[in-house]
Amino acid sequence: MTHALTSGPSSGSTATHCPYCSLQCGMRLSGRRTPEVSAWEEFPVNEGALCRKGWSAAGLYGGRERLTSPLVRDRETGEWSAVSWDDALARVADGIRAAQADGGPDAVAVFGGGGLTNEKAYSLGKFARVALGTSQIDYNGRWCMSSAASAGIRAFGLDRGLPFPLADVEETDVLVLVGSNLAETMPPAARHLDRLRARGGKVVVIDPRRTPTGDRADLALQPVPGTDLALALGVLHLLVASGSVDADYLASRTSGWPAVQDSVAAWWPERVERVTGIDASEVRELAALLSTPPSSVVEVRGAPATSLETRPKVMVLTARGAEQHSTGSDTVLAWINVALALGMVGVRGGGYGCLTGQGNGQGGREHGQKADQLPGYRRIDDPAARAHVAGVWGVEPDSLPGPGRSAYELLDALGTDGGPSAMLVFGSNIVVSAPNATHITSRLEALDLLVVCDMVMSETAAIADVVLPVTQWAEETGTMTNLEGRVILRQKALTPPSGVRSDLDVIADLAALLDSPVPFATAPEEVFAELGRASEGGPADYSTITYGRIRDEKGVFWGGERLFASSFNHADGRARMYAVEHRGAAEQPDADYPIHLTTGRVLAQYQSGAQTRRTRALPDEGPFVEVHPLLAGRLGVATGEPVRVSTRRGTMTAPARVVTTIRPDTVFIPFHWVGANRLTNDALDPASRMPEFKVCAASVTAVGSLVEEVAQRPSRDPVTHG
Ligand code: SF4
């Protein structure tokens, strides 16, 4: 189906969106052979601003590394051969049939991604349950936002990353960012911080590193990695002690407060200091900021007056720094407790939200590519949900499988007795992005059949048996749901190279070859309409959203622009408060691994780097290790000199960057290249199954002394991977 394209002020331009992060900045694309990016000033989320990744996004198009023919790999020789689409798909279908003949429906797994459009995420979930009949589907968003999602559902009965527009940040009095470096990860969003501070508001940033976001803060706290939860307990302790909690709100809009109040009784500031490393006086300063009447804040944007003249409006936003932990769900619940205790959730300019990471991190978790989920954010173990979705799909409810394994558990089971022996990967570069990556790569290599759909030969595609070249970004139309729950339309603006197909075509073609009981649509707008019907009546109901509305309204919020103003999504309308305990990181420093390792992103790269590392306009400096001068002095290294970082799972060597912005007991490595995730810990959060990407115990040595060190203790050194 051909879609009408929105013309821009410059003739021939198409209004579309950035291929990368969850802000989904609006942009215009013009020129088909050599596309150019220009500003789309009218799109409200970014008002024409883009970061350097967005401005250089057209560099993705037409690169020499682009795959344009299906490839199959000879396992004996490792040689790749180009084959026709018919041959490639037949080989995949044969492999699927062989695996399922041997091991039943669950012998085939599907792994999706948080960058896939809503239409693809929906089709992939349907394909797994209907065409393959497998329960074994999950996606890399499990590694990104699942702890916040789990906490949001428990506390509010609903998970929408931000339950309000991002611009509401400008209307708060005190913004608390826990584990977010938005000035680098989504720079256009940082203007809201600047405008908030210009009107007298305060910004608090909590991060083990002093980042460019921390540089914009009135109070920047650098806790020991993995201790954000303890800080939240200490803050709530002080709010209770000072009588700053909103008793009326707690009584009328929440349940569970008495147990929460008891649970923070012993978290006095000095105890918080011992656990977090943050000075007790700074813990008090934070609590005072959250409870002191605003003095110089001026009204903006016509926000409605509230009864909050005597106390500040407070907004707490968490991101991966707080969430990617084995205690991530509880950490988010602890910060939600702070926002609820202050009576802020549902108040315009206040509340709690999660800053989603991946481009379609929100929509990707709503429409059925999660192991426990059906479209519309329905639970797959809910009989009514199964009946509704099966009705839309034209199959019997009993034919749908039940819940499958979560992302890491699924990958960990590949090629084992009882685990899948074949897997199809869409929109994910697992070899770079999985925790404990050397182990997970060995599991991928143990499969009888690995199929990867990608636009380039990613590190994961490179070990596949079949690689299917697919369209990307503005070569196709589809919807994404940004971090605010705003459904946007990424319009087709470029002609794909000949030889590539859409993921939607691949799914439909494979379904037909596998004698699926029902056909699969391939036109995005048709798939979206079906998604709308399947989601109707569910927590994330898209049934009234159309491509036409999205174009006319510049995005449509599912569920409404602002949520929770008068009630939460539990049956009694109340938010739930949970008493949570600080447990700390799963792996604590010891004599062999005395340093905390934390990981994250840099401005010029995105996720596993499969796209940005191939964009010439973006600097690719490779990985590095941020080291504090005190640690660097002990190691005897200077900036640029190689250091070796080892954990119980692996080791890597990269140049040191000696900076005063990191804690002396912590090192930081960006995860866009192979290496960092060979080190990270695969301990899982018990509620969300999120791995602990953000902290583990490490040893750091100067490479100059490495030969001597290894020679002295080879039998004790558990490091096995280079
Ligand atoms: S990467 Fe994110 S912040 Fe940067 S232009 Fe793209 S959507 Fe906007």
Side-chain angles (χ1 to χ4, degrees):
M1 182 180 291
T2 304
H3 303 280
L5 303 179
T6 305
S7 296
S10 49
S11 71
S13 77
T14 301
T16 191
H17 294 269
C18 175
Y20 301 118
C21 85
S22 66
L23 209 54
Q24 282 300 291
C25 292
M27 59 169 60
R28 291 188 178 278
L29 270 177
S30 56
R32 302 230 158 206
R33 285 179 179 233
T34 48
E36 281 182 19
V37 173
S38 58
W40 179 12
E41 311 272 359
E42 301 81 18
F43 186 66
V45 176
N46 57 311
E47 300 171 309
L50 297 169
C51 76
R52 64 191 304 178
K53 294 189 290 291
W55 286 119
S56 63
L60 284 172
Y61 187 67
R64 281 199 305 275
E65 294 180 64
R66 187 69 188 275
L67 300 177
T68 55
S69 170
L71 298 170
V72 297
R73 185 170 63 98
D74 183 320
R75 284 205 173 193
E76 296 289 310
T77 64
E79 297 281 311
W80 289 98
S81 309
V83 299
S84 70
W85 270 98
D86 283 350
D87 286 351
L89 292 171
R91 176 161 171 166
V92 174
D94 287 347
I96 289 171
R97 280 192 213 95
Q100 293 191 320
D102 244 19
D106 282 356
V108 178
V110 176
F111 201 88
L116 298 176
T117 62
N118 290 318
E119 291 80 355
K120 293 179 181 182
Y122 166 79
S123 282
L124 201 55
K126 176 181 171 183
F127 172 76
R129 276 64 177 244
V130 173
L132 297 176
T134 182
S135 67
Q136 301 298 293
I137 175 170
D138 213 64
Y139 81 126
N140 63 21
R142 177 79 69 173
W143 300 340
C144 198
M145 288 78 55
S146 59
S147 284
S150 159
I153 290 169
R154 291 177 73 194
F156 308 132
L158 189 72
D159 157 42
R160 198 182 84 184
L162 295 182
F164 41 72
L166 182 62
D168 280 11
V169 162
E170 297 174 25
E171 298 179 13
T172 196
D173 298 322
V174 184
L175 174 68
V176 184
L177 291 170
V178 193
S180 167
N181 180 16
L182 60 73
E184 279 196 289
T185 56
M186 49 179 72
R191 74 193 192 285
H192 299 305
L193 274 56
D194 298 336
R195 291 174 185 168
L196 168 63
R197 295 185 75 203
R199 56 174 278 270
K202 304 291 184 194
V203 174
V204 179
V205 173
I206 299 164
D207 190 323
R209 301 165 67 218
R210 174 74 181 232
T211 64
T213 312
D215 291 342
R216 287 174 148 90
D218 299 277
L219 180 62
L221 305 176
Q222 293 184 246
V224 172
T227 63
D228 296 321
L229 197 165
L231 180 60
L233 298 176
V235 167
L236 192 49
H237 169 96
L238 289 169
L239 295 174
V240 172
S242 63
S244 302
V245 300
D246 186 334
D248 290 343
Y249 181 99
L250 288 167
S252 63
R253 297 210 54 190
T254 72
S255 61
W257 169 242
V260 171
Q261 185 173 3
D262 289 348
S263 73
V264 300
W267 280 95
W268 52 90
E270 287 71 22
R271 182 180 175 198
V272 175
E273 178 179 317
R274 283 202 299 278
V275 172
T276 66
I278 295 172
D279 198 277
S281 65
E282 290 186 312
V283 182
R284 291 191 176 91
E285 188 180 346
L286 172 55
L289 267 180
L290 303 185
S291 53
T292 304
S295 54
S296 58
V297 175
V298 295
E299 187 98 347
V300 291
R301 300 194 325 131
T306 69
S307 59
L308 300 171
E309 288 80 10
T310 58
R311 57 200 175 89
K313 282 191 276 189
V314 174
M315 181 183 286
V316 180
L317 303 180
T318 63
R320 306 301 83 69
E323 299 160 10
Q324 288 181 318
H325 294 274
S326 59
T327 58
S329 297
D330 282 356
T331 299
V332 174
L333 285 170
W335 284 102
I336 287 175
N337 285 344
V338 171
L340 287 169
L342 290 166
M344 288 295 143
V345 183
V347 170
R348 181 162 170 173
Y352 165 78
C354 154
L355 293 163
T356 298
Q358 296 191 83
N360 199 26
Q362 184 66 46
R365 67 188 191 246
E366 296 169 349
H367 297 298
Q369 60 176 334
K370 273 180 91 173
D372 53 358
Q373 188 197 74
L374 289 172
Y377 227 138
R378 289 181 157 96
R379 291 181 60 97
I380 202 168
D381 57 2
D382 173 0
R386 293 169 66 87
H388 173 83
V389 174
V392 173
W393 287 350
V395 299
E396 289 299 316
D398 288 348
S399 70
L400 300 178
R405 295 177 172 95
S406 75
Y408 186 82
E409 291 160 303
L410 173 59
L411 298 178
D412 193 33
L414 297 177
T416 63
D417 286 346
S421 59
M423 186 163 78
L424 282 65
V425 179
F426 293 76
S428 190
N429 189 6
I430 298 164
V431 167
V432 179
S433 61
N436 197 4
T438 304
H439 167 67
I440 290 302
T441 301
S442 74
R443 301 277 25 105
L444 292 168
E445 289 168 338
L447 288 167
D448 294 334
L449 175 69
L450 176 61
V451 181
V452 173
C453 294
D454 210 325
M455 53 175 274
V456 293
M457 188 61 85
S458 71
E459 287 79 0
T460 307
I463 60 168
D465 298 288
V466 181
V467 178
L468 302 175
V470 290
T471 45
Q472 54 130 346
W473 179 41
E475 293 168 359
E476 53 192 345
T477 292
T479 61
M480 311 281 278
T481 305
N482 84 344
L483 77 173
E484 311 162 289
R486 188 192 308 249
V487 185
I488 56 99
L489 188 60
R490 191 188 274 179
Q491 300 200 102
K492 178 175 178 176
L494 306 168
T495 305
S498 69
V500 307
R501 294 186 181 179
S502 165
D503 293 297
L504 292 175
D505 293 321
V506 173
I507 291 167
D509 290 347
L510 281 175
L513 284 173
L514 294 166
D515 299 323
S516 165
V518 294
F520 283 68
T522 55
E525 193 162 7
E526 191 181 338
V527 177
F528 189 74
E530 184 184 311
L531 178 163
R533 293 194 296 278
S535 71
E536 188 171 5
D541 185 339
Y542 281 41
S543 61
T544 61
I545 305 175
T546 63
Y547 279 20
R549 275 193 69 198
I550 299 171
R551 286 193 187 95
D552 292 345
E553 300 172 35
K554 299 191 179 67
V556 178
F557 292 90
W558 67 257
E561 193 170 18
R562 294 181 179 82
L563 306 177
F564 313 140
S566 56
S567 113
F568 295 98
N569 281 52
H570 291 298
D572 60 4
R574 289 169 174 265
R576 302 277 184 274
M577 300 182 80
Y578 295 88
V580 290
E581 291 296 326
H582 166 73
R583 301 193 298 280
E587 191 176 69
Q588 295 291 336
D590 58 16
D592 289 335
Y593 300 97
I595 300 293
H596 300 285
L597 165 66
T598 190
T599 62
R601 287 164 53 186
V602 298
L603 173 60
Q605 296 293 326
Y606 181 69
Q607 306 300 62
S608 79
Q611 295 156 300
T612 48
R613 284 189 275 123
R614 292 175 169 85
T615 301
R616 283 197 199 127
L618 293 172
D620 180 358
E621 298 169 311
F624 56 87
V625 184
E626 277 190 1
V627 182
H628 190 275
L630 287 175
L631 178 58
R634 284 216 305 277
L635 298 172
V637 295
T639 290
E641 294 177 355
V643 291
R644 191 171 171 89
V645 182
S646 302
T647 71
R648 290 180 174 83
R649 293 154 294 282
T651 191
M652 70 175 284
T653 301
R657 262 189 208 177
V658 181
V659 294
T660 56
T661 49
I662 193 159
R663 294 178 55 88
D665 58 5
T666 301
V667 294
F668 165 84
I669 304 176
F671 58 58
H672 309 290
W673 298 266
V674 170
N677 277 319
R678 289 179 176 172
L679 311 183
T680 49
N681 194 354
D682 53 10
L684 302 182
D685 181 286
S688 67
R689 318 310 286 166
M690 162 87 86
E692 189 148 79
F693 286 99
K694 275 292 183 278
V695 60
C696 63
S699 68
V700 185
T701 52
V703 167
S705 65
L706 185 69
V707 173
E708 183 184 349
E709 182 200 85
V710 171
Q712 282 176 355
R713 55 185 193 96
S715 61
R716 289 175 55 223
D717 191 342
V719 175
T720 54
H721 312 297

